[in-house]
Amino acid sequence: MDVSRTSDPRPFWLAGRPATGDAEQAVTNPHDGRVVGVHSVPTPDQVEQAVAAAHAVRGQAAALPIHVRAEALAHVARRLSERAEEIAQLISAENGKPIFWARGEVGRAVSTFRFGAEEARRFSGDVQRLDTEPAAQGRLAYVSRVPYGPVLAITPFNFPLNLVAHKVAPAIAVGAPIVVKPAPATPLSALVLGEILAETDLPEGVFSVLPVPNDRAASLVEDPRLPVVSFTGSGPVGYSILDSVPRKHVTLELGGNAAAVVLADADLDWAASRVALFSNYQAGQSCIAVQRVIVEDSVADAFTERLVGAVGGLVTGDPADEKTQVGPLVSEDAAIRVENWVNEAVEAGARLLAGGTRDGATIAPTVLADVPAGAKVACEEVFGPVMTVQRVASVDEAFAAVNDSRYGLQAGVFTRSLDVAFRANRELEVGGVVIGDVPSYRADQMPYGGVKESGVGREGLRSAMEDLTYEKVMVLTGLTL
């Protein structure tokens, strides 16, 4: 399917309506450099109109009946499902994601909006009897959740549809207007989402999708009419946002260098196949892609042999090919950076067990052993198809190695022991522990987020809805209870 637009550029979405600016931007495929689409870029005046509209409609949005919010989200889920193949082809083309993974992303976005519709219907107030003390006899508290106000959503390139969905769906569910600034490399999927949102009965101003360059984001971040900033991306950018607007409500989904622990009682074939695939899915461009593999010494040789074999069996190539499992990085510059980090580790004494080569924007799936602790591939977020293998003597040493990181997003522990599973949950300094599988597992309805330098706040529909709102108490007096 040809996803390119050869005629007019795609419009952006200004207060729920299509609009065009005075400039255009081409989007290219990182695999072969071809232009896959052109979109219009908003002018500063149009950005101002979008923010003003979100601010103006905030009261109306918060008062929207729940059935209106829920039906809008359900409509998006249905339309994404109906257009699934078209949108998957678009994701693959603009992102370089193999079509296999792009279809999975569309399926997840369908679920995200469906969960949003369901949670919107359940998101109701609580009551508390206050007559637990004599002085409060006849009093009852009604506790509701109220949106802080319009949300600025800044989204990344690696999941150009579903990570937008994780910001849009909870905002609409709680009645908060939202202004989306998609990643400049991959805005087309978000623009299609805007097209579908425009089919709903949401009031004008409830959503805008503004594909502006990153150097124009600061004014949006600083605008007092957008009291919530929800950012997914790199740590330095995220913390610069947090530092620049300390009085705003800021949620950050940042990076990681996720660890998978393989203990002596693990199913080694299962562990090797999962680690191999999920170190390299999305070309490693996921904050929960497996980067550090920590293996108990007694099974390290047997596991590593299986792992290298499984990595060697992955199909790397054209993301449009149905068989491709590992595609290019988002750009050749990104691939050159990853290549340099691998070379630095090897020069410092690391052993290259697989991969390590680059072809344009594509890095061959790479496995490194004996990596010095200070190497970037060990302590930074690679965001590429690279993993390190570390041998440890015990569970104690394995868990200490997981925690020896300034990141703490998710960790996976391959074990059959229930006691070890609960110990991992107690001791690992991460936002999520996945037992019996890789740290890359994420169910879209579950709480998702990190500790340490992996961010603040949580996604997952219910969790995000709570994050976008505050508790408000109404006390009723003189009641006979």
mmCIF file of all heavy atoms in Angstrom, residues 76-77 80-81 84 91 97 100-116 158-159 161-166 169 278 281-282 286 288 410 440-446 448 459-461:
data_model
loop_
_atom_site.group_PDB
_atom_site.id
_atom_site.type_symbol
_atom_site.label_atom_id
_atom_site.label_comp_id
_atom_site.label_asym_id
_atom_site.label_seq_id
_atom_site.Cartn_x
_atom_site.Cartn_y
_atom_site.Cartn_z
ATOM 1 N N VAL A 76 -13.343 6.133 18.485
ATOM 2 C CA VAL A 76 -11.946 6.094 18.032
ATOM 3 C C VAL A 76 -11.450 4.659 17.971
ATOM 4 O O VAL A 76 -10.781 4.257 17.004
ATOM 5 C CB VAL A 76 -11.057 6.957 18.943
ATOM 6 C CG1 VAL A 76 -9.591 6.816 18.543
ATOM 7 C CG2 VAL A 76 -11.479 8.420 18.874
ATOM 8 N N ALA A 77 -11.769 3.868 18.996
ATOM 9 C CA ALA A 77 -11.345 2.467 18.994
ATOM 10 C C ALA A 77 -11.904 1.726 17.782
ATOM 11 O O ALA A 77 -11.183 0.973 17.103
ATOM 12 C CB ALA A 77 -11.789 1.779 20.289
ATOM 13 N N LEU A 80 -10.146 3.051 14.493
ATOM 14 C CA LEU A 80 -8.776 2.541 14.392
ATOM 15 C C LEU A 80 -8.778 1.083 13.950
ATOM 16 O O LEU A 80 -7.948 0.669 13.131
ATOM 17 C CB LEU A 80 -8.052 2.673 15.733
ATOM 18 C CG LEU A 80 -7.636 4.076 16.174
ATOM 19 C CD1 LEU A 80 -7.070 4.025 17.593
ATOM 20 C CD2 LEU A 80 -6.612 4.682 15.217
ATOM 21 N N SER A 81 -9.712 0.311 14.487
ATOM 22 C CA SER A 81 -9.799 -1.095 14.100
ATOM 23 C C SER A 81 -10.174 -1.233 12.626
ATOM 24 O O SER A 81 -9.602 -2.048 11.895
ATOM 25 C CB SER A 81 -10.827 -1.806 14.986
ATOM 26 O OG SER A 81 -10.906 -3.174 14.661
ATOM 27 N N ALA A 84 -7.156 -0.338 10.441
ATOM 28 C CA ALA A 84 -5.941 -0.859 11.071
ATOM 29 C C ALA A 84 -4.800 -1.066 10.079
ATOM 30 O O ALA A 84 -3.659 -0.672 10.337
ATOM 31 C CB ALA A 84 -6.253 -2.166 11.803
ATOM 32 N N ILE A 91 2.476 3.820 10.022
ATOM 33 C CA ILE A 91 3.445 3.754 11.123
ATOM 34 C C ILE A 91 4.755 3.169 10.628
ATOM 35 O O ILE A 91 5.848 3.698 10.903
ATOM 36 C CB ILE A 91 2.888 2.912 12.285
ATOM 37 C CG1 ILE A 91 1.724 3.624 12.964
ATOM 38 C CG2 ILE A 91 3.980 2.600 13.304
ATOM 39 C CD1 ILE A 91 0.987 2.765 13.979
ATOM 40 N N LYS A 97 9.413 0.981 11.542
ATOM 41 C CA LYS A 97 9.041 -0.184 12.355
ATOM 42 C C LYS A 97 8.572 -1.313 11.440
ATOM 43 O O LYS A 97 7.746 -1.087 10.542
ATOM 44 C CB LYS A 97 7.920 0.239 13.306
ATOM 45 C CG LYS A 97 7.433 -0.819 14.248
ATOM 46 C CD LYS A 97 6.411 -0.240 15.230
ATOM 47 C CE LYS A 97 7.021 0.870 16.076
ATOM 48 N NZ LYS A 97 6.124 1.252 17.195
ATOM 49 N N PHE A 100 5.079 -6.061 11.082
ATOM 50 C CA PHE A 100 4.599 -6.975 12.131
ATOM 51 C C PHE A 100 4.362 -6.214 13.432
ATOM 52 O O PHE A 100 3.320 -6.338 14.074
ATOM 53 C CB PHE A 100 5.637 -8.084 12.324
ATOM 54 C CG PHE A 100 5.426 -8.920 13.561
ATOM 55 C CD1 PHE A 100 4.501 -9.936 13.561
ATOM 56 C CD2 PHE A 100 6.171 -8.688 14.716
ATOM 57 C CE1 PHE A 100 4.306 -10.716 14.701
ATOM 58 C CE2 PHE A 100 5.984 -9.453 15.851
ATOM 59 C CZ PHE A 100 5.047 -10.475 15.848
ATOM 60 N N TRP A 101 5.347 -5.404 13.827
ATOM 61 C CA TRP A 101 5.232 -4.635 15.069
ATOM 62 C C TRP A 101 4.268 -3.470 14.897
ATOM 63 O O TRP A 101 3.577 -3.078 15.852
ATOM 64 C CB TRP A 101 6.595 -4.116 15.508
ATOM 65 C CG TRP A 101 7.581 -5.190 15.842
ATOM 66 C CD1 TRP A 101 8.721 -5.502 15.156
ATOM 67 C CD2 TRP A 101 7.514 -6.102 16.944
ATOM 68 N NE1 TRP A 101 9.376 -6.546 15.764
ATOM 69 C CE2 TRP A 101 8.654 -6.938 16.861
ATOM 70 C CE3 TRP A 101 6.612 -6.285 17.981
ATOM 71 C CZ2 TRP A 101 8.905 -7.942 17.787
ATOM 72 C CZ3 TRP A 101 6.863 -7.292 18.907
ATOM 73 C CH2 TRP A 101 7.997 -8.102 18.802
ATOM 74 N N ALA A 102 4.196 -2.882 13.710
ATOM 75 C CA ALA A 102 3.278 -1.764 13.480
ATOM 76 C C ALA A 102 1.831 -2.214 13.626
ATOM 77 O O ALA A 102 0.999 -1.495 14.196
ATOM 78 C CB ALA A 102 3.520 -1.167 12.096
ATOM 79 N N ARG A 103 1.519 -3.402 13.124
ATOM 80 C CA ARG A 103 0.159 -3.921 13.308
ATOM 81 C C ARG A 103 -0.134 -4.128 14.791
ATOM 82 O O ARG A 103 -1.247 -3.856 15.264
ATOM 83 C CB ARG A 103 -0.008 -5.230 12.538
ATOM 84 C CG ARG A 103 -0.017 -5.044 11.025
ATOM 85 C CD ARG A 103 -0.262 -6.354 10.300
ATOM 86 N NE ARG A 103 -0.231 -6.166 8.855
ATOM 87 C CZ ARG A 103 0.558 -6.837 8.025
ATOM 88 N NH1 ARG A 103 1.407 -7.764 8.494
ATOM 89 N NH2 ARG A 103 0.523 -6.607 6.733
ATOM 90 N N GLY A 104 0.857 -4.605 15.513
ATOM 91 C CA GLY A 104 0.673 -4.763 16.955
ATOM 92 C C GLY A 104 0.420 -3.444 17.646
ATOM 93 O O GLY A 104 -0.394 -3.363 18.579
ATOM 94 N N GLU A 105 1.094 -2.399 17.204
ATOM 95 C CA GLU A 105 0.873 -1.087 17.817
ATOM 96 C C GLU A 105 -0.536 -0.581 17.581
ATOM 97 O O GLU A 105 -1.172 -0.025 18.489
ATOM 98 C CB GLU A 105 1.889 -0.063 17.297
ATOM 99 C CG GLU A 105 1.667 1.302 17.916
ATOM 100 C CD GLU A 105 2.718 2.328 17.582
ATOM 101 O OE1 GLU A 105 3.752 1.969 16.978
ATOM 102 O OE2 GLU A 105 2.506 3.512 17.926
ATOM 103 N N VAL A 106 -1.055 -0.773 16.376
ATOM 104 C CA VAL A 106 -2.434 -0.350 16.109
ATOM 105 C C VAL A 106 -3.395 -1.130 16.998
ATOM 106 O O VAL A 106 -4.331 -0.558 17.588
ATOM 107 C CB VAL A 106 -2.799 -0.530 14.628
ATOM 108 C CG1 VAL A 106 -4.265 -0.133 14.392
ATOM 109 C CG2 VAL A 106 -1.895 0.309 13.736
ATOM 110 N N GLY A 107 -3.169 -2.423 17.124
ATOM 111 C CA GLY A 107 -4.033 -3.229 17.987
ATOM 112 C C GLY A 107 -4.011 -2.740 19.427
ATOM 113 O O GLY A 107 -5.052 -2.693 20.101
ATOM 114 N N ARG A 108 -2.839 -2.353 19.895
ATOM 115 C CA ARG A 108 -2.736 -1.826 21.259
ATOM 116 C C ARG A 108 -3.464 -0.492 21.383
ATOM 117 O O ARG A 108 -4.109 -0.224 22.400
ATOM 118 C CB ARG A 108 -1.272 -1.684 21.659
ATOM 119 C CG ARG A 108 -0.570 -3.017 21.887
ATOM 120 C CD ARG A 108 0.867 -2.806 22.327
ATOM 121 N NE ARG A 108 0.940 -2.035 23.560
ATOM 122 C CZ ARG A 108 2.075 -1.583 24.095
ATOM 123 N NH1 ARG A 108 3.224 -1.820 23.480
ATOM 124 N NH2 ARG A 108 2.058 -0.911 25.218
ATOM 125 N N ALA A 109 -3.369 0.357 20.380
ATOM 126 C CA ALA A 109 -4.069 1.641 20.438
ATOM 127 C C ALA A 109 -5.577 1.440 20.465
ATOM 128 O O ALA A 109 -6.304 2.182 21.152
ATOM 129 C CB ALA A 109 -3.660 2.512 19.251
ATOM 130 N N VAL A 110 -6.063 0.453 19.721
ATOM 131 C CA VAL A 110 -7.495 0.122 19.781
ATOM 132 C C VAL A 110 -7.873 -0.208 21.223
ATOM 133 O O VAL A 110 -8.867 0.294 21.765
ATOM 134 C CB VAL A 110 -7.824 -1.048 18.840
ATOM 135 C CG1 VAL A 110 -9.246 -1.551 19.086
ATOM 136 C CG2 VAL A 110 -7.649 -0.640 17.384
ATOM 137 N N SER A 111 -7.076 -1.050 21.868
ATOM 138 C CA SER A 111 -7.349 -1.429 23.255
ATOM 139 C C SER A 111 -7.260 -0.233 24.188
ATOM 140 O O SER A 111 -8.068 -0.084 25.113
ATOM 141 C CB SER A 111 -6.365 -2.505 23.710
ATOM 142 O OG SER A 111 -6.530 -3.693 22.971
ATOM 143 N N THR A 112 -6.274 0.649 23.959
ATOM 144 C CA THR A 112 -6.100 1.812 24.827
ATOM 145 C C THR A 112 -7.344 2.691 24.811
ATOM 146 O O THR A 112 -7.829 3.130 25.861
ATOM 147 C CB THR A 112 -4.859 2.609 24.395
ATOM 148 O OG1 THR A 112 -3.695 1.777 24.547
ATOM 149 C CG2 THR A 112 -4.683 3.861 25.245
ATOM 150 N N PHE A 113 -7.895 2.949 23.634
ATOM 151 C CA PHE A 113 -9.106 3.764 23.568
ATOM 152 C C PHE A 113 -10.315 3.011 24.107
ATOM 153 O O PHE A 113 -11.207 3.607 24.737
ATOM 154 C CB PHE A 113 -9.346 4.251 22.141
ATOM 155 C CG PHE A 113 -8.549 5.481 21.810
ATOM 156 C CD1 PHE A 113 -7.368 5.386 21.104
ATOM 157 C CD2 PHE A 113 -8.973 6.727 22.237
ATOM 158 C CE1 PHE A 113 -6.617 6.520 20.811
ATOM 159 C CE2 PHE A 113 -8.229 7.865 21.954
ATOM 160 C CZ PHE A 113 -7.050 7.763 21.243
ATOM 161 N N ARG A 114 -10.353 1.697 23.890
ATOM 162 C CA ARG A 114 -11.469 0.918 24.459
ATOM 163 C C ARG A 114 -11.406 0.929 25.979
ATOM 164 O O ARG A 114 -12.429 1.139 26.651
ATOM 165 C CB ARG A 114 -11.418 -0.516 23.922
ATOM 166 C CG ARG A 114 -12.496 -1.423 24.506
ATOM 167 C CD ARG A 114 -12.581 -2.741 23.747
ATOM 168 N NE ARG A 114 -11.294 -3.404 23.666
ATOM 169 C CZ ARG A 114 -10.785 -4.174 24.627
ATOM 170 N NH1 ARG A 114 -11.453 -4.353 25.758
ATOM 171 N NH2 ARG A 114 -9.617 -4.787 24.459
ATOM 172 N N PHE A 115 -10.204 0.734 26.532
ATOM 173 C CA PHE A 115 -10.065 0.811 27.992
ATOM 174 C C PHE A 115 -10.457 2.205 28.490
ATOM 175 O O PHE A 115 -11.064 2.355 29.545
ATOM 176 C CB PHE A 115 -8.624 0.512 28.408
ATOM 177 C CG PHE A 115 -8.164 -0.888 28.149
ATOM 178 C CD1 PHE A 115 -6.844 -1.138 27.787
ATOM 179 C CD2 PHE A 115 -9.017 -1.965 28.278
ATOM 180 C CE1 PHE A 115 -6.397 -2.423 27.548
ATOM 181 C CE2 PHE A 115 -8.585 -3.262 28.034
ATOM 182 C CZ PHE A 115 -7.263 -3.491 27.669
ATOM 183 N N GLY A 116 -10.091 3.248 27.721
ATOM 184 C CA GLY A 116 -10.452 4.605 28.114
ATOM 185 C C GLY A 116 -11.958 4.781 28.190
ATOM 186 O O GLY A 116 -12.478 5.421 29.123
ATOM 187 N N ASN A 158 8.905 6.633 18.874
ATOM 188 C CA ASN A 158 9.028 5.172 18.806
ATOM 189 C C ASN A 158 7.687 4.447 18.767
ATOM 190 O O ASN A 158 7.582 3.365 18.191
ATOM 191 C CB ASN A 158 9.903 4.637 19.949
ATOM 192 C CG ASN A 158 9.435 5.067 21.320
ATOM 193 O OD1 ASN A 158 8.804 6.104 21.484
ATOM 194 N ND2 ASN A 158 9.755 4.265 22.323
ATOM 195 N N PHE A 159 6.648 5.011 19.390
ATOM 196 C CA PHE A 159 5.292 4.479 19.267
ATOM 197 C C PHE A 159 4.402 5.654 18.869
ATOM 198 O O PHE A 159 3.714 6.239 19.702
ATOM 199 C CB PHE A 159 4.822 3.852 20.582
ATOM 200 C CG PHE A 159 5.514 2.562 20.925
ATOM 201 C CD1 PHE A 159 6.718 2.569 21.608
ATOM 202 C CD2 PHE A 159 4.970 1.342 20.547
ATOM 203 C CE1 PHE A 159 7.359 1.395 21.925
ATOM 204 C CE2 PHE A 159 5.612 0.155 20.860
ATOM 205 C CZ PHE A 159 6.810 0.176 21.551
ATOM 206 N N LEU A 161 1.660 6.167 17.449
ATOM 207 C CA LEU A 161 0.211 6.120 17.633
ATOM 208 C C LEU A 161 -0.142 5.791 19.078
ATOM 209 O O LEU A 161 -0.865 6.537 19.732
ATOM 210 C CB LEU A 161 -0.420 5.085 16.695
ATOM 211 C CG LEU A 161 -1.940 4.920 16.851
ATOM 212 C CD1 LEU A 161 -2.661 6.190 16.418
ATOM 213 C CD2 LEU A 161 -2.445 3.717 16.064
ATOM 214 N N ASN A 162 0.380 4.686 19.613
ATOM 215 C CA ASN A 162 -0.103 4.228 20.917
ATOM 216 C C ASN A 162 0.343 5.122 22.064
ATOM 217 O O ASN A 162 -0.377 5.259 23.054
ATOM 218 C CB ASN A 162 0.322 2.780 21.185
ATOM 219 C CG ASN A 162 -0.478 2.169 22.328
ATOM 220 O OD1 ASN A 162 -1.691 2.395 22.442
ATOM 221 N ND2 ASN A 162 0.180 1.413 23.172
ATOM 222 N N LEU A 163 1.511 5.738 21.974
ATOM 223 C CA LEU A 163 1.903 6.631 23.063
ATOM 224 C C LEU A 163 1.165 7.965 22.985
ATOM 225 O O LEU A 163 1.022 8.654 24.001
ATOM 226 C CB LEU A 163 3.419 6.831 23.093
ATOM 227 C CG LEU A 163 4.198 5.583 23.516
ATOM 228 C CD1 LEU A 163 5.675 5.898 23.674
ATOM 229 C CD2 LEU A 163 3.640 4.972 24.804
ATOM 230 N N VAL A 164 0.670 8.331 21.811
ATOM 231 C CA VAL A 164 -0.272 9.454 21.717
ATOM 232 C C VAL A 164 -1.602 9.045 22.337
ATOM 233 O O VAL A 164 -2.215 9.793 23.100
ATOM 234 C CB VAL A 164 -0.453 9.902 20.256
ATOM 235 C CG1 VAL A 164 -1.482 11.027 20.159
ATOM 236 C CG2 VAL A 164 0.871 10.359 19.659
ATOM 237 N N ALA A 165 -2.036 7.825 22.031
ATOM 238 C CA ALA A 165 -3.293 7.322 22.600
ATOM 239 C C ALA A 165 -3.267 7.333 24.116
ATOM 240 O O ALA A 165 -4.270 7.645 24.765
ATOM 241 C CB ALA A 165 -3.555 5.903 22.087
ATOM 242 N N HIS A 166 -2.105 7.016 24.702
ATOM 243 C CA HIS A 166 -2.002 6.958 26.162
ATOM 244 C C HIS A 166 -2.089 8.333 26.815
ATOM 245 O O HIS A 166 -2.213 8.424 28.039
ATOM 246 C CB HIS A 166 -0.710 6.261 26.576
ATOM 247 C CG HIS A 166 -0.889 4.791 26.772
ATOM 248 N ND1 HIS A 166 -1.528 4.261 27.873
ATOM 249 C CD2 HIS A 166 -0.536 3.724 26.007
ATOM 250 C CE1 HIS A 166 -1.548 2.948 27.787
ATOM 251 N NE2 HIS A 166 -0.964 2.596 26.656
ATOM 252 N N ALA A 169 -6.472 9.480 25.325
ATOM 253 C CA ALA A 169 -7.624 8.751 25.868
ATOM 254 C C ALA A 169 -7.914 9.129 27.322
ATOM 255 O O ALA A 169 -9.081 9.427 27.650
ATOM 256 C CB ALA A 169 -7.414 7.243 25.715
ATOM 257 N N PHE A 278 13.064 -9.311 22.349
ATOM 258 C CA PHE A 278 12.666 -8.042 22.964
ATOM 259 C C PHE A 278 13.841 -7.163 23.373
ATOM 260 O O PHE A 278 13.633 -6.099 23.947
ATOM 261 C CB PHE A 278 11.717 -8.308 24.134
ATOM 262 C CG PHE A 278 10.342 -8.658 23.642
ATOM 263 C CD1 PHE A 278 9.964 -9.988 23.505
ATOM 264 C CD2 PHE A 278 9.463 -7.676 23.264
ATOM 265 C CE1 PHE A 278 8.714 -10.312 23.019
ATOM 266 C CE2 PHE A 278 8.213 -7.986 22.776
ATOM 267 C CZ PHE A 278 7.827 -9.313 22.656
ATOM 268 N N TYR A 281 13.234 -5.745 19.353
ATOM 269 C CA TYR A 281 11.969 -5.247 18.785
ATOM 270 C C TYR A 281 12.017 -3.725 18.752
ATOM 271 O O TYR A 281 12.678 -3.085 19.551
ATOM 272 C CB TYR A 281 10.788 -5.774 19.585
ATOM 273 C CG TYR A 281 10.375 -4.975 20.800
ATOM 274 C CD1 TYR A 281 9.079 -4.487 20.911
ATOM 275 C CD2 TYR A 281 11.254 -4.732 21.844
ATOM 276 C CE1 TYR A 281 8.675 -3.761 22.023
ATOM 277 C CE2 TYR A 281 10.865 -4.021 22.962
ATOM 278 C CZ TYR A 281 9.583 -3.526 23.039
ATOM 279 O OH TYR A 281 9.190 -2.808 24.148
ATOM 280 N N GLN A 282 11.334 -3.140 17.802
ATOM 281 C CA GLN A 282 11.401 -1.696 17.568
ATOM 282 C C GLN A 282 12.849 -1.231 17.353
ATOM 283 O O GLN A 282 13.192 -0.078 17.624
ATOM 284 C CB GLN A 282 10.810 -0.896 18.750
ATOM 285 C CG GLN A 282 9.624 -1.498 19.445
ATOM 286 C CD GLN A 282 8.356 -1.458 18.632
ATOM 287 O OE1 GLN A 282 8.215 -0.665 17.720
ATOM 288 N NE2 GLN A 282 7.429 -2.337 18.958
ATOM 289 N N SER A 286 12.883 1.230 22.487
ATOM 290 C CA SER A 286 11.827 1.193 23.492
ATOM 291 C C SER A 286 12.494 1.319 24.846
ATOM 292 O O SER A 286 13.531 0.695 25.086
ATOM 293 C CB SER A 286 11.040 -0.118 23.410
ATOM 294 O OG SER A 286 10.241 -0.303 24.568
ATOM 295 N N ILE A 288 11.736 0.055 27.506
ATOM 296 C CA ILE A 288 11.754 -1.210 28.245
ATOM 297 C C ILE A 288 12.279 -2.361 27.380
ATOM 298 O O ILE A 288 12.084 -3.528 27.711
ATOM 299 C CB ILE A 288 10.371 -1.551 28.827
ATOM 300 C CG1 ILE A 288 9.253 -1.349 27.797
ATOM 301 C CG2 ILE A 288 10.110 -0.729 30.083
ATOM 302 C CD1 ILE A 288 7.878 -1.764 28.292
ATOM 303 N N GLN A 410 11.334 -0.816 34.352
ATOM 304 C CA GLN A 410 10.828 -2.170 34.595
ATOM 305 C C GLN A 410 11.995 -3.154 34.554
ATOM 306 O O GLN A 410 13.041 -2.865 33.974
ATOM 307 C CB GLN A 410 9.763 -2.565 33.570
ATOM 308 C CG GLN A 410 8.485 -1.772 33.704
ATOM 309 C CD GLN A 410 7.267 -2.402 33.043
ATOM 310 O OE1 GLN A 410 6.153 -2.074 33.420
ATOM 311 N NE2 GLN A 410 7.440 -3.279 32.075
ATOM 312 N N SER A 440 10.046 -5.926 28.908
ATOM 313 C CA SER A 440 9.385 -5.224 27.806
ATOM 314 C C SER A 440 7.881 -5.454 27.780
ATOM 315 O O SER A 440 7.181 -4.858 26.962
ATOM 316 C CB SER A 440 9.986 -5.685 26.474
ATOM 317 O OG SER A 440 11.376 -5.855 26.584
ATOM 318 N N TYR A 441 7.379 -6.314 28.671
ATOM 319 C CA TYR A 441 5.937 -6.576 28.684
ATOM 320 C C TYR A 441 5.197 -5.375 29.269
ATOM 321 O O TYR A 441 5.550 -4.862 30.336
ATOM 322 C CB TYR A 441 5.602 -7.821 29.511
ATOM 323 C CG TYR A 441 4.114 -8.043 29.609
ATOM 324 C CD1 TYR A 441 3.428 -8.624 28.545
ATOM 325 C CD2 TYR A 441 3.401 -7.633 30.725
ATOM 326 C CE1 TYR A 441 2.054 -8.800 28.609
ATOM 327 C CE2 TYR A 441 2.034 -7.806 30.799
ATOM 328 C CZ TYR A 441 1.361 -8.386 29.742
ATOM 329 O OH TYR A 441 0.007 -8.551 29.813
ATOM 330 N N ARG A 442 4.169 -4.938 28.563
ATOM 331 C CA ARG A 442 3.301 -3.886 29.077
ATOM 332 C C ARG A 442 1.879 -4.144 28.629
ATOM 333 O O ARG A 442 1.605 -4.268 27.439
ATOM 334 C CB ARG A 442 3.743 -2.506 28.574
ATOM 335 C CG ARG A 442 2.821 -1.381 29.049
ATOM 336 C CD ARG A 442 3.220 -0.024 28.493
ATOM 337 N NE ARG A 442 2.310 1.025 28.970
ATOM 338 C CZ ARG A 442 2.364 2.309 28.608
ATOM 339 N NH1 ARG A 442 3.306 2.702 27.750
ATOM 340 N NH2 ARG A 442 1.512 3.185 29.081
ATOM 341 N N ALA A 443 0.978 -4.250 29.590
ATOM 342 C CA ALA A 443 -0.451 -4.273 29.291
ATOM 343 C C ALA A 443 -0.937 -2.837 29.387
ATOM 344 O O ALA A 443 -0.626 -2.135 30.359
ATOM 345 C CB ALA A 443 -1.198 -5.171 30.277
ATOM 346 N N ASP A 444 -1.699 -2.387 28.407
ATOM 347 C CA ASP A 444 -2.000 -0.966 28.316
ATOM 348 C C ASP A 444 -2.919 -0.457 29.412
ATOM 349 O O ASP A 444 -2.997 0.745 29.646
ATOM 350 C CB ASP A 444 -2.571 -0.649 26.936
ATOM 351 C CG ASP A 444 -1.504 -0.787 25.857
ATOM 352 O OD1 ASP A 444 -0.624 0.075 25.789
ATOM 353 O OD2 ASP A 444 -1.552 -1.774 25.099
ATOM 354 N N GLN A 445 -3.605 -1.366 30.128
ATOM 355 C CA GLN A 445 -4.471 -0.915 31.213
ATOM 356 C C GLN A 445 -3.753 -0.871 32.555
ATOM 357 O O GLN A 445 -4.278 -0.319 33.523
ATOM 358 C CB GLN A 445 -5.718 -1.813 31.310
ATOM 359 C CG GLN A 445 -5.460 -3.220 31.861
ATOM 360 C CD GLN A 445 -5.101 -4.217 30.781
ATOM 361 O OE1 GLN A 445 -4.427 -3.875 29.819
ATOM 362 N NE2 GLN A 445 -5.557 -5.459 30.944
ATOM 363 N N MET A 446 -2.564 -1.438 32.656
ATOM 364 C CA MET A 446 -1.904 -1.506 33.964
ATOM 365 C C MET A 446 -1.108 -0.231 34.249
ATOM 366 O O MET A 446 -0.725 0.492 33.325
ATOM 367 C CB MET A 446 -0.980 -2.727 34.023
ATOM 368 C CG MET A 446 0.344 -2.583 33.313
ATOM 369 S SD MET A 446 1.342 -4.099 33.421
ATOM 370 C CE MET A 446 2.943 -3.500 32.832
ATOM 371 N N TYR A 448 1.909 2.078 34.612
ATOM 372 C CA TYR A 448 3.194 1.976 33.926
ATOM 373 C C TYR A 448 3.976 3.261 34.155
ATOM 374 O O TYR A 448 3.485 4.365 33.881
ATOM 375 C CB TYR A 448 2.985 1.758 32.427
ATOM 376 C CG TYR A 448 4.257 1.793 31.619
ATOM 377 C CD1 TYR A 448 5.101 0.690 31.576
ATOM 378 C CD2 TYR A 448 4.632 2.933 30.908
ATOM 379 C CE1 TYR A 448 6.282 0.720 30.835
ATOM 380 C CE2 TYR A 448 5.803 2.973 30.168
ATOM 381 C CZ TYR A 448 6.617 1.855 30.145
ATOM 382 O OH TYR A 448 7.781 1.889 29.423
ATOM 383 N N GLU A 459 1.288 6.024 33.660
ATOM 384 C CA GLU A 459 0.312 5.844 32.597
ATOM 385 C C GLU A 459 -0.441 4.542 32.856
ATOM 386 O O GLU A 459 -0.282 3.924 33.898
ATOM 387 C CB GLU A 459 0.999 5.864 31.237
ATOM 388 C CG GLU A 459 1.485 7.254 30.862
ATOM 389 C CD GLU A 459 1.980 7.369 29.431
ATOM 390 O OE1 GLU A 459 2.207 6.329 28.788
ATOM 391 O OE2 GLU A 459 2.132 8.506 28.952
ATOM 392 N N GLY A 460 -1.249 4.120 31.866
ATOM 393 C CA GLY A 460 -2.236 3.084 32.125
ATOM 394 C C GLY A 460 -3.517 3.835 32.430
ATOM 395 O O GLY A 460 -3.516 4.789 33.221
ATOM 396 N N LEU A 461 -4.622 3.478 31.834
ATOM 397 C CA LEU A 461 -5.761 4.388 31.752
ATOM 398 C C LEU A 461 -6.205 4.934 33.097
ATOM 399 O O LEU A 461 -6.286 6.149 33.301
ATOM 400 C CB LEU A 461 -6.922 3.698 31.032
ATOM 401 C CG LEU A 461 -6.871 3.755 29.506
ATOM 402 C CD1 LEU A 461 -6.886 5.186 29.012
ATOM 403 C CD2 LEU A 461 -5.688 3.028 28.934
#
